[in-house]
Amino acid sequence: MFFYLFYWLGSRAALLLPLKVSYWIASRTADFWSRRSLVDREAVRLNLCAVLNTDQISPEMVNEVFRNFAKYLVDFFRFSSLTPQRLRSLVRIEGLENMKAALSQGRGAIGLTAHLGNFELAGAVLSLMGMSVNAVVLTHQNSRVDAFFTRQRNRVGVKIIPIQKQTPREFYVKCVSALRGGEILALVGDRDFFSHGLELPLFGKTIKVPTGPANFSLKTGAPIVPGFLVREKDGSYSLFFEKPIAIPRGIPREEAEKQMTQACLNVMAQYIRRYPTQWYGFREFWRQIPAVII
């Protein structure tokens, strides 16, 4: 109940208050959370150490991760106020031709992103631009919180495909159907919540990475288009779309899956290095993470 009330009150406040005031309150709340939760703080510090290859991480940099996540929530809470016109003034888009070219092939597109910047807003941008977006999501422990997140996504036209609320077969069929319908299947690919992925190197350590993007691409021929929406220093947003990850030819499927997954991981790592304080990991990324979120 606490988390539902927190999200509900947060969404009301974010819509009623000016954006700058909402960000200020969110940042102060994040500072409080950072001071009180030493376990989360240490996990953030360790993640930053790995990304930046150093043991010298300033307390302010750790605080910035908490603050950026709080601002991400404010933006998510304000989804009902988003319009295509407002997005044009808020978000600069680079490489949109890569997504459009992928969709023009008629096989749909796999939108690959990470827990970086404002990945929820990226889906909203594409949806409000008239593209059909299906986001693969995890289930929240509290059913009212889960329903709240579903409503927020639906407000901007993003359809959801929950992993846990159906059989693996049903989940797979819905994902493939979306791609064969020429739609976007949005996947967050930097965490393996079910320990079914491949072990690959990331920032000098081995991590299990989900193979879903590669599997769906190999199954349907849909291109994988990496996309990342990040906050710039002036408070504006940039949405970057990279060139599609190619499907290797003439090699066994297992090797093709590994090469594509490594390519996915490499492009995510590039953006995480560029925006390290916008990579949201309040548990150490190299440890197994539960598949249910609060």
Side-chain angles (χ1 to χ4, degrees), residues 97-136:
E97 67 275 7
N98 292 322
M99 178 60 79
K100 289 184 174 180
L103 289 171
S104 70
Q105 298 179 25
R107 298 176 178 175
I110 298 165
L112 171 73
T113 193
H115 291 89
L116 181 77
N118 197 323
F119 47 95
E120 295 276 5
L121 185 58
V125 170
L126 291 173
S127 177
L128 291 174
M129 290 178 65
M131 303 180 195
S132 185
V133 180
N134 303 264
V136 172

Side-chain angles (χ1 to χ4, degrees), residues 26-37 66:
S27 295
R28 302 294 75 76
T29 304
D31 289 343
F32 176 78
W33 170 25
S34 177
R35 288 193 300 269
R36 291 294 298 272
S37 183
F66 287 84

Side-chain angles (χ1 to χ4, degrees), residues 12-292:
R12 300 282 77 76
L15 290 170
L16 290 172
L17 297 172
L19 182 59
K20 288 185 178 180
V21 175
S22 295
Y23 280 162
W24 185 88
I25 294 173
S27 295
R28 302 294 75 76
T29 304
D31 289 343
F32 176 78
W33 170 25
S34 177
R35 288 193 300 269
R36 291 294 298 272
S37 183
L38 299 182
V39 173
D40 291 355
R41 187 177 180 85
E42 177 62 8
V44 168
R45 190 190 69 81
L46 290 172
N47 291 335
L48 289 172
C49 285
V51 172
L52 301 175
N53 192 27
T54 179
D55 292 330
Q56 304 302 314
I57 300 296
S58 69
E60 181 59 27
M61 180 172 280
V62 174
N63 290 340
E64 196 63 26
V65 176
F66 287 84
R67 292 171 189 158
N68 281 327
F69 182 75
K71 291 176 182 177
Y72 147 79
L73 283 178
V74 169
D75 292 333
F76 183 68
F77 292 156
R78 292 170 62 91
F79 268 14
S80 62
S81 68
L82 286 180
T83 63
Q85 295 75 22
R86 174 165 170 71
L87 283 176
R88 278 195 288 270
S89 64
L90 181 67
V91 181
R92 179 182 68 89
I93 304 178
E94 184 176 314
L96 183 60
E97 67 275 7
N98 292 322
M99 178 60 79
K100 289 184 174 180
L103 289 171
S104 70
Q105 298 179 25
R107 298 176 178 175
I110 298 165
L112 171 73
T113 193
H115 291 89
L116 181 77
N118 197 323
F119 47 95
E120 295 276 5
L121 185 58
V125 170
L126 291 173
S127 177
L128 291 174
M129 290 178 65
M131 303 180 195
S132 185
V133 180
N134 303 264
V136 172
V137 301
L138 292 173
T139 301
H140 291 259
Q141 287 178 321
N142 185 295
S143 60
R144 299 179 73 178
V145 171
D146 196 60
F148 169 80
F149 270 70
T150 297
R151 286 195 302 272
Q152 290 299 102
R153 290 160 177 150
N154 289 343
R155 288 182 194 278
V156 291
V158 173
K159 297 172 284 187
I160 68 164
I161 303 179
I163 297 177
Q164 299 107 312
K165 290 184 176 181
Q166 53 198 321
T167 67
R169 177 64 181 170
E170 290 170 334
F171 168 75
Y172 183 79
V173 167
K174 286 185 179 179
C175 291
V176 171
S177 296
L179 292 171
R180 288 179 173 166
E183 302 179 357
I184 296 171
L185 181 67
L187 297 172
V188 182
D190 57 345
R191 295 188 198 175
D192 177 19
F193 290 94
F194 299 95
S195 194
H196 296 156
L198 290 173
E199 290 192 353
L200 295 171
L202 175 67
F203 304 126
K205 299 183 180 182
T206 299
I207 185 173
K208 275 203 170 182
V209 188
T211 58
N215 278 329
F216 286 122
S217 183
L218 289 166
K219 173 67 177 180
T220 65
I224 301 174
V225 183
F228 307 92
L229 193 150
V230 292
R231 183 186 299 275
E232 302 293 0
K233 291 181 179 179
D234 63 359
S236 65
Y237 279 116
S238 295
L239 175 54
F240 300 98
F241 290 106
E242 295 292 326
K243 292 182 179 180
I245 292 172
I247 298 176
R249 304 298 180 186
I251 61 175
R253 178 187 171 91
E254 184 176 329
E255 181 60 27
E257 177 187 280
K258 182 177 180 179
Q259 288 187 18
M260 294 176 72
T261 302
Q262 184 66 67
C264 290
L265 190 58
N266 291 345
V267 71
M268 287 187 288
Q270 291 175 18
Y271 278 87
I272 292 167
R273 283 196 187 98
R274 285 172 59 182
Y275 301 91
T277 61
Q278 295 185 49
W279 192 37
Y280 307 130
F282 302 103
R283 297 292 183 272
E284 191 178 355
F285 259 84
W286 289 265
R287 295 183 179 181
Q288 181 63 27
I289 302 172
V292 180

